[in-house]
mmCIF file with all atom_site columns, all heavy atoms in Angstrom:
data_model
loop_
_atom_site.group_PDB
_atom_site.id
_atom_site.type_symbol
_atom_site.label_atom_id
_atom_site.label_alt_id
_atom_site.label_comp_id
_atom_site.label_asym_id
_atom_site.label_entity_id
_atom_site.label_seq_id
_atom_site.pdbx_PDB_ins_code
_atom_site.Cartn_x
_atom_site.Cartn_y
_atom_site.Cartn_z
_atom_site.occupancy
_atom_site.B_iso_or_equiv
_atom_site.pdbx_formal_charge
_atom_site.auth_seq_id
_atom_site.auth_comp_id
_atom_site.auth_asym_id
_atom_site.auth_atom_id
_atom_site.pdbx_PDB_model_num
ATOM 1  N N   . LEU A 1 111 ? 4.209   5.269  -13.716 1.00 0.00 ? 111 LEU A N   1
ATOM 2  C CA  . LEU A 1 111 ? 3.498   4.156  -13.102 1.00 0.00 ? 111 LEU A CA  1
ATOM 3  C C   . LEU A 1 111 ? 2.160   3.869  -13.774 1.00 0.00 ? 111 LEU A C   1
ATOM 4  O O   . LEU A 1 111 ? 1.405   4.781  -14.091 1.00 0.00 ? 111 LEU A O   1
ATOM 5  C CB  . LEU A 1 111 ? 3.274   4.465  -11.622 1.00 0.00 ? 111 LEU A CB  1
ATOM 6  C CG  . LEU A 1 111 ? 2.564   3.396  -10.796 1.00 0.00 ? 111 LEU A CG  1
ATOM 7  C CD1 . LEU A 1 111 ? 3.440   2.159  -10.665 1.00 0.00 ? 111 LEU A CD1 1
ATOM 8  C CD2 . LEU A 1 111 ? 2.230   3.963  -9.411  1.00 0.00 ? 111 LEU A CD2 1
ATOM 9  N N   . SER A 1 112 ? 1.886   2.587  -13.966 1.00 0.00 ? 112 SER A N   1
ATOM 10 C CA  . SER A 1 112 ? 0.590   2.149  -14.463 1.00 0.00 ? 112 SER A CA  1
ATOM 11 C C   . SER A 1 112 ? 0.147   0.956  -13.628 1.00 0.00 ? 112 SER A C   1
ATOM 12 O O   . SER A 1 112 ? 0.766   -0.118 -13.679 1.00 0.00 ? 112 SER A O   1
ATOM 13 C CB  . SER A 1 112 ? 0.684   1.752  -15.948 1.00 0.00 ? 112 SER A CB  1
ATOM 14 O OG  . SER A 1 112 ? -0.564  1.264  -16.417 1.00 0.00 ? 112 SER A OG  1
ATOM 15 N N   . ILE A 1 113 ? -0.889  1.138  -12.812 1.00 0.00 ? 113 ILE A N   1
ATOM 16 C CA  . ILE A 1 113 ? -1.395  0.071  -11.957 1.00 0.00 ? 113 ILE A CA  1
ATOM 17 C C   . ILE A 1 113 ? -2.914  0.065  -12.017 1.00 0.00 ? 113 ILE A C   1
ATOM 18 O O   . ILE A 1 113 ? -3.546  1.027  -12.442 1.00 0.00 ? 113 ILE A O   1
ATOM 19 C CB  . ILE A 1 113 ? -0.949  0.242  -10.486 1.00 0.00 ? 113 ILE A CB  1
ATOM 20 C CG1 . ILE A 1 113 ? -1.448  1.581  -9.924  1.00 0.00 ? 113 ILE A CG1 1
ATOM 21 C CG2 . ILE A 1 113 ? 0.557   0.096  -10.350 1.00 0.00 ? 113 ILE A CG2 1
ATOM 22 C CD1 . ILE A 1 113 ? -1.181  1.760  -8.439  1.00 0.00 ? 113 ILE A CD1 1
ATOM 23 N N   . ASN A 1 114 ? -3.494  -1.059 -11.588 1.00 0.00 ? 114 ASN A N   1
ATOM 24 C CA  . ASN A 1 114 ? -4.948  -1.127 -11.466 1.00 0.00 ? 114 ASN A CA  1
ATOM 25 C C   . ASN A 1 114 ? -5.407  -0.211 -10.332 1.00 0.00 ? 114 ASN A C   1
ATOM 26 O O   . ASN A 1 114 ? -4.649  0.058  -9.397  1.00 0.00 ? 114 ASN A O   1
ATOM 27 C CB  . ASN A 1 114 ? -5.388  -2.561 -11.191 1.00 0.00 ? 114 ASN A CB  1
ATOM 28 C CG  . ASN A 1 114 ? -5.176  -3.476 -12.384 1.00 0.00 ? 114 ASN A CG  1
ATOM 29 O OD1 . ASN A 1 114 ? -5.269  -3.044 -13.529 1.00 0.00 ? 114 ASN A OD1 1
ATOM 30 N ND2 . ASN A 1 114 ? -4.880  -4.737 -12.121 1.00 0.00 ? 114 ASN A ND2 1
ATOM 31 N N   . PRO A 1 115 ? -6.633  0.267  -10.394 1.00 0.00 ? 115 PRO A N   1
ATOM 32 C CA  . PRO A 1 115 ? -7.131  1.172  -9.349  1.00 0.00 ? 115 PRO A CA  1
ATOM 33 C C   . PRO A 1 115 ? -7.091  0.525  -7.965  1.00 0.00 ? 115 PRO A C   1
ATOM 34 O O   . PRO A 1 115 ? -7.239  -0.693 -7.815  1.00 0.00 ? 115 PRO A O   1
ATOM 35 C CB  . PRO A 1 115 ? -8.567  1.441  -9.791  1.00 0.00 ? 115 PRO A CB  1
ATOM 36 C CG  . PRO A 1 115 ? -8.575  1.196  -11.263 1.00 0.00 ? 115 PRO A CG  1
ATOM 37 C CD  . PRO A 1 115 ? -7.618  0.071  -11.483 1.00 0.00 ? 115 PRO A CD  1
ATOM 38 N N   . VAL A 1 116 ? -6.882  1.364  -6.957  1.00 0.00 ? 116 VAL A N   1
ATOM 39 C CA  . VAL A 1 116 ? -6.926  0.937  -5.561  1.00 0.00 ? 116 VAL A CA  1
ATOM 40 C C   . VAL A 1 116 ? -7.940  1.810  -4.835  1.00 0.00 ? 116 VAL A C   1
ATOM 41 O O   . VAL A 1 116 ? -8.400  2.831  -5.358  1.00 0.00 ? 116 VAL A O   1
ATOM 42 C CB  . VAL A 1 116 ? -5.541  1.053  -4.884  1.00 0.00 ? 116 VAL A CB  1
ATOM 43 C CG1 . VAL A 1 116 ? -4.539  0.119  -5.548  1.00 0.00 ? 116 VAL A CG1 1
ATOM 44 C CG2 . VAL A 1 116 ? -5.030  2.503  -4.911  1.00 0.00 ? 116 VAL A CG2 1
ATOM 45 N N   . ASP A 1 117 ? -8.280  1.393  -3.630  1.00 0.00 ? 117 ASP A N   1
ATOM 46 C CA  . ASP A 1 117 ? -9.210  2.203  -2.846  1.00 0.00 ? 117 ASP A CA  1
ATOM 47 C C   . ASP A 1 117 ? -8.549  3.475  -2.323  1.00 0.00 ? 117 ASP A C   1
ATOM 48 O O   . ASP A 1 117 ? -9.124  4.558  -2.400  1.00 0.00 ? 117 ASP A O   1
ATOM 49 C CB  . ASP A 1 117 ? -9.741  1.386  -1.657  1.00 0.00 ? 117 ASP A CB  1
ATOM 50 C CG  . ASP A 1 117 ? -10.595 0.215  -2.088  1.00 0.00 ? 117 ASP A CG  1
ATOM 51 O OD1 . ASP A 1 117 ? -11.484 0.416  -2.947  1.00 0.00 ? 117 ASP A OD1 1
ATOM 52 O OD2 . ASP A 1 117 ? -10.378 -0.904 -1.587  1.00 0.00 ? 117 ASP A OD2 1
ATOM 53 N N   . THR A 1 118 ? -7.328  3.316  -1.784  1.00 0.00 ? 118 THR A N   1
ATOM 54 C CA  . THR A 1 118 ? -6.710  4.414  -1.053  1.00 0.00 ? 118 THR A CA  1
ATOM 55 C C   . THR A 1 118 ? -5.227  4.528  -1.379  1.00 0.00 ? 118 THR A C   1
ATOM 56 O O   . THR A 1 118 ? -4.532  3.508  -1.448  1.00 0.00 ? 118 THR A O   1
ATOM 57 C CB  . THR A 1 118 ? -6.853  4.198  0.473   1.00 0.00 ? 118 THR A CB  1
ATOM 58 O OG1 . THR A 1 118 ? -8.220  3.930  0.791   1.00 0.00 ? 118 THR A OG1 1
ATOM 59 C CG2 . THR A 1 118 ? -6.358  5.404  1.253   1.00 0.00 ? 118 THR A CG2 1
ATOM 60 N N   . VAL A 1 119 ? -4.754  5.750  -1.566  1.00 0.00 ? 119 VAL A N   1
ATOM 61 C CA  . VAL A 1 119 ? -3.319  6.022  -1.632  1.00 0.00 ? 119 VAL A CA  1
ATOM 62 C C   . VAL A 1 119 ? -2.918  6.728  -0.342  1.00 0.00 ? 119 VAL A C   1
ATOM 63 O O   . VAL A 1 119 ? -3.571  7.693  0.076   1.00 0.00 ? 119 VAL A O   1
ATOM 64 C CB  . VAL A 1 119 ? -2.961  6.902  -2.849  1.00 0.00 ? 119 VAL A CB  1
ATOM 65 C CG1 . VAL A 1 119 ? -1.574  7.534  -2.665  1.00 0.00 ? 119 VAL A CG1 1
ATOM 66 C CG2 . VAL A 1 119 ? -2.962  6.072  -4.124  1.00 0.00 ? 119 VAL A CG2 1
ATOM 67 N N   . ILE A 1 120 ? -1.872  6.197  0.289   1.00 0.00 ? 120 ILE A N   1
ATOM 68 C CA  . ILE A 1 120 ? -1.250  6.865  1.435   1.00 0.00 ? 120 ILE A CA  1
ATOM 69 C C   . ILE A 1 120 ? 0.196   7.134  1.033   1.00 0.00 ? 120 ILE A C   1
ATOM 70 O O   . ILE A 1 120 ? 0.862   6.266  0.471   1.00 0.00 ? 120 ILE A O   1
ATOM 71 C CB  . ILE A 1 120 ? -1.310  6.000  2.708   1.00 0.00 ? 120 ILE A CB  1
ATOM 72 C CG1 . ILE A 1 120 ? -0.709  4.614  2.470   1.00 0.00 ? 120 ILE A CG1 1
ATOM 73 C CG2 . ILE A 1 120 ? -2.751  5.882  3.203   1.00 0.00 ? 120 ILE A CG2 1
ATOM 74 C CD1 . ILE A 1 120 ? -0.649  3.740  3.710   1.00 0.00 ? 120 ILE A CD1 1
ATOM 75 N N   . MET A 1 121 ? 0.703   8.325  1.304   1.00 0.00 ? 121 MET A N   1
ATOM 76 C CA  . MET A 1 121 ? 2.061   8.601  0.817   1.00 0.00 ? 121 MET A CA  1
ATOM 77 C C   . MET A 1 121 ? 2.682   9.814  1.494   1.00 0.00 ? 121 MET A C   1
ATOM 78 O O   . MET A 1 121 ? 1.974   10.712 1.968   1.00 0.00 ? 121 MET A O   1
ATOM 79 C CB  . MET A 1 121 ? 2.074   8.785  -0.692  1.00 0.00 ? 121 MET A CB  1
ATOM 80 C CG  . MET A 1 121 ? 1.268   9.940  -1.221  1.00 0.00 ? 121 MET A CG  1
ATOM 81 S SD  . MET A 1 121 ? 1.377   10.075 -3.041  1.00 0.00 ? 121 MET A SD  1
ATOM 82 C CE  . MET A 1 121 ? 0.360   11.528 -3.317  1.00 0.00 ? 121 MET A CE  1
ATOM 83 N N   . ASN A 1 122 ? 3.989   9.783  1.523   1.00 0.00 ? 122 ASN A N   1
ATOM 84 C CA  . ASN A 1 122 ? 4.804   10.936 1.884   1.00 0.00 ? 122 ASN A CA  1
ATOM 85 C C   . ASN A 1 122 ? 5.756   11.167 0.720   1.00 0.00 ? 122 ASN A C   1
ATOM 86 O O   . ASN A 1 122 ? 6.907   10.712 0.741   1.00 0.00 ? 122 ASN A O   1
ATOM 87 C CB  . ASN A 1 122 ? 5.573   10.676 3.185   1.00 0.00 ? 122 ASN A CB  1
ATOM 88 C CG  . ASN A 1 122 ? 6.494   11.821 3.544   1.00 0.00 ? 122 ASN A CG  1
ATOM 89 O OD1 . ASN A 1 122 ? 6.311   12.954 3.093   1.00 0.00 ? 122 ASN A OD1 1
ATOM 90 N ND2 . ASN A 1 122 ? 7.514   11.532 4.340   1.00 0.00 ? 122 ASN A ND2 1
#
Side-chain angles (χ1 to χ4, degrees):
L111 181 67
S112 177
I113 59 174
N114 291 328
V116 296
D117 294 313
T118 309
V119 162
I120 54 176
M121 62 179 181
N122 176 21

